[in-house]
Amino acid sequence: MPELVVPSARLHSAWLEAHAEWGPGFHEDGFGLLPIDEVDSPGGFVAWVARLDGESGACTYRWIVDGGRVLGGIALRHGFGEFVQWAGHIGYGIRPSARQRGVATWALGRMLDKARELGMDRVLLVCTAENVASVKTIERHGGVLEGIRETRLGPARRYWIFVSPRDGAGD
């Protein structure tokens, strides 16, 4: 059974294995990986994990781990700044070998719980227009299509998920 874990330097080799499966580049959504991050060396990886921890007031990062294997990452961005308006509140990525097993759907549900805990009433999710897997994942959680917008990366679908309080909250 997978779990969401706080990014940790102890998962360096497992994370590198997942990163290698994606192939070269910085395209894994949900990890907060930037082109300036050097993640191959232990020191660089520790610095990257520390940067993610330092952003905890603005973004909640979690890695999806099962049996010590990193299956993906998911991030919940707080607020509604320019980046959130472009990329959405929640971004996630699942390594190719772990796809089509419900991992993204499960992880999104847990992150919606976190959004609820933070008092958010709705979250924006954005995916490329042709990403059928993400469309299904978002719609399984009640995503309502706002529309499709042209972006610098091509057409993107914009969904809102309304995050209601848990039953009994406030009683």
Side-chain angles (χ1 to χ4, degrees):
M1 184 71 170
E3 59 183 323
L4 292 185
V5 302
V6 174
S8 169
R10 72 177 171 76
L11 291 167
H12 186 204
S13 60
W15 188 90
L16 285 176
E17 179 187 301
H19 182 61
E21 188 175 312
W22 258 289
F26 294 90
H27 44 75
E28 299 96 329
D29 293 331
F31 282 109
L33 187 61
L34 301 173
I36 60 167
D37 294 316
E38 190 285 300
V39 294
D40 292 327
S41 73
F45 195 81
V46 166
W48 173 55
V49 168
R51 180 179 65 75
L52 297 179
D53 184 55
E55 294 177 7
S56 64
C59 186
T60 300
Y61 292 100
R62 294 293 182 263
W63 293 350
I64 306 161
V65 178
D66 190 8
R69 187 168 180 247
V70 175
L71 304 182
I74 188 164
L76 171 62
R77 302 169 191 103
H78 314 172
F80 199 64
E82 186 177 326
F83 187 74
V84 169
Q85 291 178 44
W86 178 76
H89 286 103
I90 299 177
Y92 53 86
I94 306 299
R95 69 189 289 172
S97 64
R99 293 177 185 162
Q100 298 183 341
R101 294 193 282 162
V103 173
T105 301
W106 173 84
L108 179 55
R110 303 300 73 74
M111 210 47 109
L112 290 171
D113 289 342
K114 182 66 175 173
R116 187 177 295 108
E117 288 173 21
L118 292 172
M120 299 172 80
D121 60 352
R122 64 183 186 150
V123 294
L124 175 66
L125 284 91
V126 179
C127 67
T128 59
E130 73 277 353
N131 188 340
V132 176
S134 277
V135 167
K136 288 179 180 179
T137 296
I138 295 165
E139 290 179 351
R140 279 187 190 108
H141 283 286
V144 176
L145 181 65
E146 172 191 274
I148 299 175
R149 290 190 188 170
E150 193 59 41
T151 72
R152 61 188 160 125
L153 300 176
R157 298 173 70 92
R158 297 171 56 84
Y159 286 91
W160 288 98
I161 296 178
F162 295 88
V163 183
S164 60
R166 290 208 181 277
D167 292 339
D171 286 345

